Amino acid sequence: MASIKNARHPFYEHCHTALNEIRQQGRYRTFTPLARLADRFPLYEEEGPALPEGREVVVWSTNDYLGMGVVPEVQEAAIAAIREHGVGAGGTRNIAGTSPLHTALEAELAALHGKEAGLLFVSGYVSNQASLQAILTSMPGWICFSDQLNHASMIAGIKGARGAQTVIFAHNDLADLEAKLAAAPAEAPKLIAFESVYSMDGDVSDIAGICALARKYNALTYLDEVHAVGLYGEEGGGIAQRDGVADEVDIIEGTLAKGFGVHGGYITASAGIVDFLRSTASGFIFTTSLPPSVVGAALVSVRKVRAEGWRREKMFERVNAFRARLRAAGVPFTMTPSHIVPVPIGDAELCKRICRRLLVEYGQYATPINYPTVPQGTERLRLTPGPFHTDEMMDEMVQALAHLLRQEGVMPPARQTENAA
């Protein structure tokens, strides 16, 4: 009799085959060992067997857009919260109780977005997945109108709502959205799920236009402001705040992990909607709550970002300065209405190779963005200059990009100037 230990489940073979296919397609992902240097951000230390003592690397792809994760007051708030409340939360808020830090942060976020209440989740992914699933399973007959380029977390929540119908509308296409709203049964409960800043292409949605359609067809609006909170609006309330339409959106979802530099996700809405999600969203009910150190740091970060507009101004000054250098050097990039600077490559293996050479040869780190994050054939570098990228750092990165993109055939060779006889 064959030993059961020698029997191989077909899933083992599936993993082997699938990973080989991913490698052949040039989209196999590996981690780069980088340790952030808090006092020298955006410098990181690269580690590895070939670098026993490490070396400093300039990082261009962090989502800590304002560098709030290394602000001393934010760090001290995390330390103070640990000393006062301990390291962990001790369980869910229903089991272990809710700390005053959680309550204060939810109130701060609600005020930021002009809403009655807020609710914290362990991540932005979970806040989208749990909230959308809970809403779309709350009543029979829901129809969710979802933008074609919505984030995977939104798609997971929508797909997880069994019984709800999903209608995908063309990206940022209000005419297509209206046609699909008009074709739906008038009596059906409807929800429009969309983002403000789409992080891979860097484009921005027409929030006012979508809200107008929602009013016309009696639909609820769910807006993901993950890549906008902290960065846009008078206090960092996102694109909806910048455009003066936050009060027209029913539910605004955000993160504490990007513009605020910490960790966690949240939603803000009317007191009734927030209370409903608090009572029904499984991703909230059955997950240990954010630890005191994270919540304490996030509370200080949100307050500082709201009060200190210079951080947003500095970030956009740096973004514009970087674009000007790229333009002068002839480096191709996609001009976006946001802070995202995509550099198109168009091939997965080439994109990975360019990023690897940037790191190895120049000490510049940029993440290759490949399928399935973006469609095949649209691979790119996604660069996010921030307040602490210096002119010297920018000059070095642009020079490295220009040299490598020419060598790799993405840019035409530089024209040779004839020497005078």
Side-chain angles (χ1 to χ4, degrees):
M1 182 182 294
S3 170
I4 193 170
K5 290 182 179 180
N6 295 328
R8 269 186 90 72
H9 192 281
F11 182 62
Y12 287 96
E13 185 60 32
H14 173 79
C15 290
H16 177 75
T17 302
L19 287 170
N20 278 341
E21 290 176 358
I22 290 171
R23 289 187 180 94
Q24 290 168 8
Q25 294 167 7
R27 58 186 184 91
Y28 182 76
R29 302 183 182 204
T30 58
F31 295 139
T32 302
L34 294 173
R36 180 153 68 163
L37 304 176
D39 59 343
R40 305 192 65 195
F41 181 79
L43 288 174
Y44 287 55
E45 185 174 72
E46 183 187 13
E47 301 173 339
L51 299 164
E53 297 180 1
R55 68 160 178 166
E56 290 185 351
V57 170
V58 182
V59 169
W60 292 91
S61 54
T62 178
N63 284 338
D64 187 357
Y65 296 126
L66 299 177
M68 294 304 297
V70 298
V71 170
E73 295 95 324
V74 175
Q75 295 176 341
E76 290 303 318
I79 295 168
I82 289 175
R83 287 177 177 152
E84 185 173 0
H85 302 290
V87 176
T92 69
R93 289 164 73 181
N94 290 314
I95 290 174
T98 189
S99 81
L101 290 173
H102 288 78
T103 303
L105 180 54
E106 286 172 342
E108 191 76 27
L109 292 167
L112 173 66
H113 293 291
K115 299 300 181 187
E116 291 178 344
L119 187 66
L120 291 170
F121 291 81
V122 293
S123 73
Y125 189 104
V126 172
S127 59
N128 270 335
Q129 182 184 35
S131 298
L132 285 166
Q133 184 172 336
I135 293 167
L136 295 173
T137 54
S138 63
M139 301 185 299
W142 271 107
I143 304 175
C144 179
F145 298 84
S146 177
D147 187 284
Q148 184 181 13
L149 295 187
N150 275 342
H151 190 267
S153 58
M154 301 176 77
I155 295 169
I158 294 165
K159 285 185 174 180
R162 295 179 181 177
Q165 179 184 350
T166 304
V167 176
I168 298 172
F169 64 93
H171 176 54
N172 274 347
D173 189 332
L174 268 63
D176 186 52
L177 173 59
E178 178 162 24
K180 288 172 176 173
L181 284 165
E187 69 280 4
K190 305 174 186 67
L191 179 142
I192 305 171
F194 64 109
E195 301 181 35
S196 59
V197 175
Y198 289 84
S199 62
M200 292 300 117
D201 292 323
D203 53 345
V204 175
S205 63
D206 180 356
I207 300 173
I210 291 175
C211 288
L213 290 177
R215 289 192 299 272
K216 182 176 179 179
Y217 294 95
N218 194 28
L220 202 69
T221 46
Y222 184 101
L223 173 63
D224 178 316
E225 287 260 39
V226 159
H227 289 274
V229 289
L231 311 183
Y232 300 84
E234 186 178 352
E235 294 183 313
I239 298 293
Q241 185 183 74
R242 185 198 70 179
D243 294 351
V245 294
D247 60 333
E248 299 180 24
V249 182
D250 293 295
I251 303 161
I252 295 178
E253 183 267 350
T255 184
L256 301 165
K258 295 179 172 61
F260 298 123
V262 191
H263 185 73
Y266 64 88
I267 58 104
T268 63
S270 69
I273 288 177
V274 169
D275 201 21
F276 172 79
L277 292 174
R278 182 187 66 83
S279 302
T280 62
S282 62
F284 172 80
I285 295 171
F286 299 107
T287 305
T288 298
S289 61
L290 290 169
S293 57
V294 169
V295 181
L299 180 59
V300 170
S301 179
V302 172
R303 288 173 173 168
K304 288 184 72 64
V305 167
R306 291 184 71 186
E308 299 173 359
W310 67 265
R311 298 180 187 278
R312 291 181 285 281
E313 295 170 5
K314 182 65 174 177
M315 184 197 73
F316 281 105
E317 183 276 326
R318 293 284 78 193
V319 170
N320 291 331
F322 188 63
R323 285 173 173 153
R325 284 168 166 79
L326 292 173
R327 192 176 293 113
V331 175
F333 68 95
T334 303
M335 186 64 192
T336 74
S338 71
H339 57 286
I340 308 294
V341 184
V343 175
I345 303 298
D347 177 83
E349 192 59 47
L350 180 59
C351 192
K352 284 178 60 178
R353 185 164 67 246
I354 289 171
C355 289
R356 184 63 187 164
R357 291 188 64 188
L358 274 170
L359 178 63
V360 172
E361 298 174 28
Y362 295 94
Q364 308 285 334
Y365 179 75
T367 308
I369 304 297
N370 293 336
Y371 177 84
T373 306
V374 296
Q376 289 178 325
T378 69
E379 292 82 3
R380 82 277 313 254
L381 312 184
R382 177 185 175 274
L383 309 179
T384 55
F388 303 107
H389 283 101
T390 65
D391 288 345
E392 182 181 6
M393 289 175 182
M394 291 184 180
D395 290 338
E396 291 174 354
M397 178 58 163
V398 171
Q399 183 179 11
L401 273 174
H403 178 71
L404 289 179
L405 294 184
R406 286 193 178 98
Q407 277 199 345
E408 298 288 353
V410 178
M411 288 173 58
R415 287 193 294 180
Q416 300 295 320
T417 57
E418 294 183 6
N419 295 323

